[in-house]
Amino acid sequence: MAGTGQSPDLKFQQDRVMAVDEWHDRWKEGRIGFHQQDVHKLLEKHLDTVVNGRKGVRFLFPLCGKAIDMKWLADMGHTVVGVEISEIAIQHFFSEQNLTYTEELVPAIPGAKLFKSSDGKITLYQCNLYDFSKYSLH
């Protein structure tokens, strides 16, 4: 787009909302170019500021996918709560990070599952973020 500094592709994406089925399809088909292979550089750079000397900080990862940042933080002694609608993403996370986990239903959120690492440091909810928000506020 002339003068806006945005490419035509970004302009198209600007007001776009992805349907849940499309998100599931992307994970099924492996179209996850957004997934990063490394810990986010800004998280690495500013972690000391965020943690501010505290131990066992609890981090929330909305739309967590299979972000390796979650294991990185857990390995430092922090705890992680993630929310992801794709069960495939969650299963890939635990598999790729070589973590054993338990799986259970979350009765308070219809259709939701809870995946928890055996050491209890990583808890991932497989549900819609909006449903999780309603659940977590009660």
Side-chain angles (χ1 to χ4, degrees):
M1 318 255 31
T4 66
Q6 291 184 338
S7 73
D9 289 338
L10 288 178
K11 181 65 178 160
F12 170 75
Q13 296 290 334
Q14 180 176 317
D15 298 317
R16 185 170 180 278
V17 176
M18 185 179 292
V20 172
D21 288 342
E22 184 179 356
W23 188 248
H24 286 298
D25 289 344
R26 289 182 70 105
W27 279 98
K28 284 180 197 169
E29 298 164 8
R31 292 185 296 124
I32 55 169
F34 48 83
H35 173 69
Q36 301 296 308
Q37 298 296 324
D38 300 308
V39 172
H40 195 286
K41 296 298 178 203
L42 290 175
L43 179 58
E44 277 185 308
K45 180 178 178 179
H46 297 288
L47 183 63
D48 288 339
T49 302
V50 171
V51 171
N52 194 26
R54 296 172 294 165
K55 305 289 183 204
V57 174
R58 184 189 228 177
F59 286 86
L60 174 65
F61 275 74
L63 312 174
C64 65
K66 59 178 186 172
I68 64 168
D69 312 62
M70 297 186 293
K71 177 143 185 332
W72 182 71
L73 289 166
D75 286 346
M76 287 189 273
H78 303 296
T79 58
V80 172
V81 174
V83 182
E84 172 59 53
I85 201 160
S86 171
E87 186 170 344
I88 293 170
I90 293 172
Q91 290 172 341
H92 284 188
F93 170 77
F94 283 106
S95 174
E96 292 173 12
Q97 299 304 319
N98 298 311
L99 294 171
T100 57
Y101 63 94
T102 59
E103 178 181 335
E104 61 188 77
L105 296 177
V106 181
I109 307 174
K113 291 182 184 177
L114 173 69
F115 296 78
K116 188 178 243 184
S117 63
S118 297
D119 65 4
K121 291 183 181 177
I122 301 172
T123 303
L124 305 183
Y125 288 84
Q126 187 260 314
C127 64
N128 183 300
L129 181 60
Y130 297 110
D131 293 337
F132 175 80
S133 296
K134 286 185 263 182
Y135 163 74
S136 64
L137 294 175
H138 290 101

